Amino acid sequence: MLLGAFVVSDDLEGRTAGRIVETEAYLPGDAAAHSYAGQTLRNRTLFMRRGHAYVYFIYGSAYCLNVSSETVGVGAGVLLRAAEPVVGIDLMQSRRPRSVARDLCRGPGRLAAALGVTRADDGLDLCASRRLWLAAPASGMPRSGENARAGESARIGLTKEADRLLRFYERGSPFLSGTRKLNA
DNA sequence: AAGAAGATTCGCT
DNA sequence: GCGAATCTTCTTA
């Protein structure tokens, strides 16, 4: 469960981190998944053991960060769509000068930009890297992303398999990318 | 070698 | 809410 976990990025500019509030799953055999047509140079990291970064560039404008989610050789991943900025908000702001605070990580391309993620991070082990990694909330802290607060909806922006309920989000969060209806 | 599609964003109406 | 921008990757000739 990635909802409620933290994505942390460390680089020469400093540390930034966000609490994940929205994700989308792309499964094996899913016609909308980048892995559907088989492994290529671009998507090879989707086929790594679960927990590795798959970063791609889309529409000439945005990087998107995914976490591979299967065993070696099986292509599948989870796209990080939105987060609540928690650490390094000033740095995020300087990377995205035109965004108001609420929009810094609201959308997959924005999230990657705020964290300074690019294709150079493709293939990192997000459980071991000191550059980019995932962290669970400390035990004893309020739990987020539990069933009671989690919602699911159709995925966003797809032309194939658009109706499958594979988008997951934290109900009530102001940092979601979807429409009012999708976030209900 | 050329062309089309794409897991988006931003600015304008 | 709508449409343009922008460029990488994969497919087809």
Side-chain angles (χ1 to χ4, degrees):
Chain A
M1 170 65 80
L2 286 170
L3 286 184
F6 297 92
V7 233
V8 189
S9 160
D10 263 349
D11 65 15
L12 293 176
E13 297 187 297
R15 172 170 295 183
T16 47
R19 201 172 129 275
I20 300 169
V21 298
E22 179 182 341
T23 61
E24 269 178 5
Y26 291 86
L27 308 176
D30 180 348
H34 286 183
S35 52
Y36 184 64
Q39 189 169 332
T40 66
L41 191 60
R42 175 215 202 189
N43 69 14
R44 64 181 188 83
T45 57
L46 258 186
F47 293 77
M48 298 176 89
R49 195 179 70 252
R50 84 178 102 189
H52 288 72
Y54 164 53
V55 183
Y56 65 90
F57 188 58
I58 189 72
Y59 292 125
S61 61
Y63 291 100
C64 295
L65 171 61
N66 298 250
V67 183
S68 70
S69 57
E70 272 289 347
T71 52
V72 175
V74 179
V78 176
L79 170 67
L80 270 33
R81 286 199 57 92
E84 169 183 351
V86 291
V87 176
I89 295 177
D90 291 348
L91 179 49
M92 292 186 187
Q93 196 72 250
S94 76
R95 287 171 173 155
R96 304 184 38 77
R98 321 190 77 135
S99 268
V100 298
R102 176 175 168 258
D103 293 344
L104 285 172
C105 301
R106 196 168 64 80
R110 293 167 172 177
L111 185 157
L115 294 174
V117 170
T118 70
R119 266 236 107 189
D121 301 310
D122 189 48
L124 290 180
D125 180 347
L126 298 175
C127 298
S129 171
R130 280 182 295 173
R131 143 80 190 115
L132 182 66
W133 71 94
L134 295 165
S139 57
M141 295 295 281
R143 287 307 218 78
S144 53
E146 295 197 319
N147 291 342
R149 305 204 56 169
E152 59 182 60
S153 80
R155 293 179 290 190
I156 293 178
L158 301 188
T159 55
K160 302 170 198 155
E161 303 273 359
D163 297 337
R164 299 180 73 174
L165 300 179
L166 290 173
R167 171 176 175 266
F168 306 95
Y169 58 95
E170 181 179 281
R171 281 214 162 83
S173 169
F175 301 97
L176 300 175
S177 74
T179 61
R180 186 74 159 264
K181 183 174 173 184
L182 282 175
N183 294 338

